[in-house]
Amino acid sequence: MTDVVTALTQALGKEIVCAGDDVPARNRRDWTAPEVLPLALVRPRTTEQVATAMRLCHEHGTPVVPQGGLTGLCGGGRPVEGGIALSLERMTGVEEIDPATASMTVRSGTPLEAVQKAADEAGFLCPLDLGARGSCAIGGNLSTNAGGNRVIRYGMTREMVLGLEVVLPDGTVVNSLNKMLKNNAGYDLKQLFIGSEGTLGVITRAVLRLWPKPRTVSAAFCGLADFDAVLRLLDEARGGLGATLSAFEVMWPSFYDLITAHATGVRTPLAGRHGLYVLLEAQGSDAAFDDPRFEAFLERMMEEGVIEDAAVAQSQGDIKAFWALRDAVAEWDQILGGHVGYDIGLPTQLMDEYALACEQAMEARFPGATTVCFGHVGDGNLHVVAHAPGHEVQPYDEISKIVYGLVRERGGTVSAEHGIGTLKKPYFAYARTPEEIALMVTLKRAIDPKNILNPGKILSL
Amino acid sequence: MTDVVTALTQALGKEIVCAGDDVPARNRRDWTAPEVLPLALVRPRTTEQVATAMRLCHEHGTPVVPQGGLTGLCGGGRPVEGGIALSLERMTGVEEIDPATASMTVRSGTPLEAVQKAADEAGFLCPLDLGARGSCAIGGNLSTNAGGNRVIRYGMTREMVLGLEVVLPDGTVVNSLNKMLKNNAGYDLKQLFIGSEGTLGVITRAVLRLWPKPRTVSAAFCGLADFDAVLRLLDEARGGLGATLSAFEVMWPSFYDLITAHATGVRTPLAGRHGLYVLLEAQGSDAAFDDPRFEAFLERMMEEGVIEDAAVAQSQGDIKAFWALRDAVAEWDQILGGHVGYDIGLPTQLMDEYALACEQAMEARFPGATTVCFGHVGDGNLHVVAHAPGHEVQPYDEISKIVYGLVRERGGTVSAEHGIGTLKKPYFAYARTPEEIALMVTLKRAIDPKNILNPGKILSL
């Protein structure tokens, strides 16, 4: 055992610190390969134990990789050689729900689904939602600034945070568990830690903002002629559905055709084929007023020729079926075999032209390639799924250069919601200027001068 | 002329740089006293000129105080002795409005009202609004993270920003003029500069998020028995009015009685007296559905006894009259004579108890004192106006110790929206822990190692 593991074990006990074969396979990687065995796994139960672990690792100059639910897609939670894995998995639970401020205080290892459930039982909505809800931890959602399907209505995770408790690389505990929507006393420190993928501090607790539960949900699956019609519908929906607009998901035909033809258990909502498809959703507060308003809006869009055809959900089952089609992304393995997925961001009006350019560039390089686009168009976020035929292992770098190269030319971003981690580091400079990256390095050096916290993720120092 | 002024004049010309008597009175202070004559006033027309000015001041180690509309209430824009005032007043104008991403790109010296007008003419809403709209600059709103009346619906200024262009203390231009709602490629650098009162960088341009224009506005002025009823109404309004809820302004009787009795041109909306008063507003997207919903909600609140009495606006004139009562804060000089105003923050449920404690503590120390409370209760933000009778000059420090001392005991903040500047620095530690302040100092030292940018504001280094 190395010095630091001895020191950690002496300070925290064997129940908290384990090494070698005792480190479970799950703590050796996130959803990306390969596995890395850390020097030791530390699973603290309290903020004080996190602080002790950080202080000792700081003294020894030992790298520390914070871990949440380990559902990340970019390698952010993967251990580093010779470093400690610090898992928050035992720091779970909702500490308080405060109805007057509409906030809840949670420990960072709590699974997102448990957070959602606790909010729901208290009569509130925690609007953050994503596919990994059952396994991902809220601390991981915070450190990656998770997105999801309803950003257009509620914002990213960042917008849902009122306060944080964070342990700095030297073990200092910074308690900023603010509950107030407005607090302009100095710098807004929590912003540093949200979305920095565990490179600046370890989030141990958070105060989350809660919203009123929607009392009614309306949804429609629409077929449109072209992207101009999509932009018109988006503009009209923002105005006509106002703040009730909760999702505006666009699917290109490459997506719709493949999914409706091959995915299991997916219903085809529309009879004909269209140039583009939109899943439109609104969350209201009063069915007596909001449901008729949604239907009146759709009727007007049909009359004005913005929508060619639409299926309006008549039941919760219909809404689920629409989302099942949109969320059938877990089916790509079965449909395409090997493939690479991207979460790029683009100025909205460039998306359709991008989708075509990407498909053409993929076809030129990999004849017979499949390139599928869909995404949160109202948020400037497009998902791309690409498959190069005849490859045992998909040529990740070559495909990425095509996908990200076209993003760079259009002033987009290489990550709208998943983060950079290690996987996207080679393409980070496609989305950020040298001055931006230099400023990030300045921040990293100031807060973590020994570069021990999640080193090598996002930035190279 | 000192070296730095010579260097600035040589590089930028006399049209950009002036000194001594040529420095207008307006650039010698913000809305707080006293005046300070800067070494020189620099009024650049381009980002490059801002960068040149910062580079030269950095070389000379000369302090620089950025200035916007100079409507700040805490001394943040007041020049410092021996330093340069860098006014953005000539960098005005809207560069672009992009309907597809619902965003606009503005230069930071643009008055807020001009920003609002440009958005309106393009069919969008810029929801940021405050009393100083005609004089304040958007760059100042950004650097102070301005609040205002509709935070409950649209968030603080921070939530309205998609991208920034910033000049760092050494003259480096960081261009982060992102237009996408979602961009998780590394640290969210813009957050550093929003709300840091010009101590970390000079904001030169911004991309602002736009919202759809509300198509209908409903408002009611309500009388309630007590604070429990106010909390109940807030909870019901969040749920029942949902995302249309755009203002929840509470006035204590001390406020209501004084304003309705003494302010000029203010109508008394309710016949009787009540324990507390609430101005409730909802912004909808469709009058056919949203207006009846608002009325149905109010009727239910009356029936259930949450509201004792309510006046519902029948016209735009009524809505204006309700707001005139709430916004009659410019009248305090006339009503009270000398007074001190505060923008404290508190967990919502503690506000009524705080208001009483504050009144009692003021009365105990200054018999016959007037203590008036009102504010954005849904946002955790309370305004306090205090007057100690028989004082030529109001005893600011003594009153502040009472007002802020009670805030500290309740875990509140000394500034919900105006910022710290120099005026609130003595009370900054009432609201932030030593660890939080130390981390802010770490950031300041990393980005501005020579401490030349707005030195002495917020933090003491």
Side-chain angles (χ1 to χ4, degrees), chain B residues 340 342 394-404 423 426-427:
Chain B
V340 192
Y342 299 91
Q394 290 288 302
Y396 175 76
D397 286 333
E398 265 193 282
I399 299 178
S400 297
K401 279 191 182 115
I402 293 171
V403 169
Y404 288 143
L423 199 67
Y427 309 99

Side-chain angles (χ1 to χ4, degrees), chain B residues 254-442:
Chain B
S254 55
F255 175 99
Y256 185 81
D257 295 346
L258 270 173
I259 291 286
T260 53
H262 299 292
T264 46
V266 166
R267 279 194 255 159
T268 305
L270 301 172
R273 292 193 74 236
H274 301 271
L276 283 155
Y277 303 87
V278 176
L279 169 50
L280 191 68
E281 188 194 79
Q283 295 182 340
S285 57
D286 192 332
F289 301 104
D290 289 315
D291 292 354
R293 186 238 305 266
F294 186 79
E295 279 161 37
F297 171 77
L298 273 183
E299 269 169 39
R300 185 164 68 78
M301 289 299 98
M302 294 281 281
E303 279 164 19
E304 295 183 16
V306 179
I307 294 173
E308 291 184 330
D309 194 10
V312 181
Q314 302 299 322
S315 65
Q316 288 298 316
D318 286 350
I319 296 176
K320 271 197 186 159
F322 293 167
W323 278 106
L325 201 167
R326 162 61 183 80
D327 283 343
V329 288
E331 307 277 328
W332 292 123
D333 267 338
Q334 173 212 317
I335 298 171
L336 294 176
H339 64 277
V340 192
Y342 299 91
D343 66 311
I344 62 164
L346 284 169
T348 304
Q349 69 273 29
L350 305 180
M351 286 187 173
D352 191 48
E353 185 271 324
Y354 172 89
L356 185 67
C358 195
E359 198 175 327
Q360 286 172 347
M362 279 293 292
E363 178 64 30
R365 176 62 194 81
F366 302 106
T370 308
T371 310
V372 170
C373 288
F374 60 104
H376 322 295
V377 166
D379 313 328
N381 179 194
L382 197 67
H383 289 288
V384 179
V385 175
H387 164 78
H391 286 78
E392 190 96 350
V393 175
Q394 290 288 302
Y396 175 76
D397 286 333
E398 265 193 282
I399 299 178
S400 297
K401 279 191 182 115
I402 293 171
V403 169
Y404 288 143
L406 294 167
V407 165
R408 175 162 59 176
E409 289 169 14
R410 285 159 184 80
T413 181
V414 298
S415 176
E417 54 183 12
H418 300 163
I420 299 297
T422 52
L423 199 67
K424 293 183 203 153
K425 259 180 72 177
Y427 309 99
F428 186 42
Y430 283 36
R432 294 293 187 194
T433 64
E435 292 80 13
E436 289 178 294
I437 295 172
L439 182 52
M440 293 183 206
V441 169
T442 298

Side-chain angles (χ1 to χ4, degrees), chain A residues 236-399:
Chain A
E236 293 277 358
R238 281 180 177 139
L241 300 175
T244 64
L245 178 64
S246 55
F248 192 92
E249 299 293 309
V250 178
M251 289 148 269
W252 272 255
S254 55
F255 175 99
Y256 184 82
D257 294 346
L258 270 173
I259 291 285
T260 53
H262 299 292
T264 47
V266 166
R267 280 193 256 159
T268 305
L270 301 172
R273 291 194 75 234
H274 301 270
L276 283 155
Y277 303 87
V278 175
L279 169 49
L280 190 68
E281 187 194 79
Q283 296 182 339
S285 57
D286 192 331
F289 301 103
D290 290 314
D291 291 353
R293 186 238 305 265
F294 185 80
E295 281 160 35
F297 171 77
L298 273 183
E299 268 170 40
R300 186 164 68 78
M301 289 299 97
M302 294 279 283
E303 279 164 18
E304 296 184 14
V306 179
I307 295 174
E308 292 184 329
D309 193 11
V312 181
Q314 301 300 322
S315 65
Q316 287 299 315
D318 285 350
I319 295 176
K320 270 195 187 160
F322 293 167
W323 279 105
L325 200 166
R326 162 62 183 80
D327 283 343
V329 288
E331 309 276 328
W332 293 123
D333 267 338
Q334 174 214 315
I335 298 171
L336 294 177
H339 64 278
V340 192
Y342 298 91
D343 66 311
I344 62 164
L346 283 169
T348 303
Q349 68 274 31
L350 305 181
M351 286 186 174
D352 191 48
E353 184 272 324
Y354 173 88
L356 184 66
C358 196
E359 199 176 324
Q360 287 173 345
M362 279 292 294
E363 178 65 29
R365 177 62 193 82
F366 303 106
T370 308
T371 309
V372 170
C373 289
F374 60 103
H376 322 295
V377 166
D379 314 328
N381 179 195
L382 196 66
H383 290 288
V384 180
V385 175
H387 164 78
H391 286 79
E392 190 98 349
V393 174
Q394 290 288 302
Y396 176 77
D397 285 333
E398 265 192 283
I399 299 179

Side-chain angles (χ1 to χ4, degrees), chain A residues 112 116 125-130 138 141-142 146-148 154-157 160:
Chain A
L112 173 59
Q116 293 172 333
L125 173 74
C126 164
L128 179 62
D129 192 32
L130 49 142
I138 186 70
N141 301 144
L142 292 162
Y154 299 100
M156 300 287 277
T157 300
M160 304 176 191

Side-chain angles (χ1 to χ4, degrees), chain B residues 32-53:
Chain B
T32 61
E35 283 191 3
V36 176
L37 180 68
L39 208 55
L41 170 66
V42 181
R43 287 177 286 187
R45 295 187 182 279
T46 65
T47 299
E48 291 63 37
Q49 290 176 340
V50 174
T52 299

Side-chain angles (χ1 to χ4, degrees), chain A residues 98 144-145 176 180 182-185 187 199 212 238 240 285 290 293 349 376 381 413 415 417 432 436, chain B residues 98 144-145 176 182-185 187 199 212 238 240 285 290 293 346 349 376 381 413 415 417 432 436:
Chain A
D98 179 350
T144 55
N145 186 30
S176 278
M180 293 162 289
K182 296 166 81 167
N183 189 347
N184 270 350
Y187 306 167
T199 61
R238 281 180 177 139
S285 57
D290 290 314
R293 186 238 305 265
Q349 68 274 31
H376 322 295
N381 179 195
T413 180
S415 176
E417 52 183 14
R432 296 292 186 194
E436 289 179 293
Chain B
D98 179 350
T144 56
N145 187 29
S176 277
K182 297 165 81 168
N183 189 346
N184 271 349
Y187 307 168
T199 62
R238 282 180 179 139
S285 57
D290 289 315
R293 186 238 305 266
L346 284 169
Q349 69 273 29
H376 322 295
N381 179 194
T413 181
S415 176
E417 54 183 12
R432 294 293 187 194
E436 289 178 294

